[in-house]
Amino acid sequence: MSEAPLLDIVDLFKAYRLHRPRPFAPHRVRPALNGVSFSIIAGRSFGIVGESGSGKSTLARIALALDKPDAGVVRLEGRSLFDLGRRELRAARAHMQLIFQDPYGSLDPRRRVERIVAEPLAALGGASRAERRRRVADSLEAVGLRASDAAKYPHEFSGGQRQRVAIARALITRPKLVVADEPVSALDVSVQAQALNLMSDLQRDAGVTFLLISHDLAVVAHICETTAVMFRGRIVEIGPTAELFASPAHPYARELVDATPRLDRSTTVAPPLNATPAPASGAGCAYAPRCRYARPRCLAERPELTAVAGETRRAACHFPLV
């Protein structure tokens, strides 16, 4: 029997209304998610990569029930989050937390670390002051800080230490799922390694499951067993991280991998844009105008996720590269 997923996302659609170009003109609509589906098994962290504007952050907010989709289902341990009442949803949020991108902007500079880290407990209620202090000390020590650091303010820490404070805040409710949206992109490279090693340790020792969202493939490869590649609101490839990065099946995934700096090979410059015109709205592959392998079928028929290279990987491409 297959394991029941911790997080199950089914056919998410989300579009945003843009400002009118002129008075009385109809609102334009920009799709952010277009039929996104995947599952995360407890203890097996999941990565999502893609360029800016691919829908990654929108997906993170909907996964945490901070935003509502236009259509689709989000289940946490089999329970649909958007079918829960306010009180039930508040209780469910104890099992999922968020790590923000910017360790400087996500911590209130006017508050001591003790109050910052204890904020999720205060929002959920039910913990005494002594219990909160004990939980804060435990969370700080779990991320490599001292219990005495609770008395300090954020400006007394380095960038890497601030991100540790942010991780401690996310862990204080002992969540089953932590959504990390670009958690190390604002840190120096040397500090990034410290933060990623900490997340790996927490996954191994504390059983935390991460949904890691990043544009950096190396960051995702450090933690996640499974990775999905997003482009224009759709998943274009999904599979085991090591296999996907070693031999991408979708041309866009290949472009991302080739652009990642590595010491064992030269970095490949992305090919010039294909002269093929963009497909009509709703038809064809959205990546076709940039794809060096595009053919007429790519403009006429939108590809769906289908199995490639065995049963462990799927790609939305009529002519996969493997």
Side-chain angles (χ1 to χ4, degrees), residues 239-282:
T241 303
E243 294 180 22
L244 194 155
F245 290 172
S247 179
H250 194 280
Y252 176 63
R254 172 68 59 85
E255 180 182 331
L256 292 181
V257 170
D258 287 347
T260 302
R262 285 173 50 178
L263 296 177
D264 59 344
R265 60 166 173 77
S266 60
T267 301
T268 303
V269 179
L273 296 184
N274 196 313
T276 307
S281 177

Side-chain angles (χ1 to χ4, degrees), residues 36 49-50 227-239 244 249-254 256 285-287 303-306 308 314-317:
V36 173
V49 297
T227 297
V229 180
M230 289 189 66
F231 181 77
R232 301 276 179 87
R234 292 173 58 85
I235 292 178
V236 296
E237 186 168 356
I238 185 171
L244 194 155
H250 194 280
Y252 176 63
R254 172 68 59 85
L256 292 181
C285 176
Y287 186 66
E304 300 296 334
L305 281 171
T306 54
V308 295
R314 292 180 295 154
C317 183

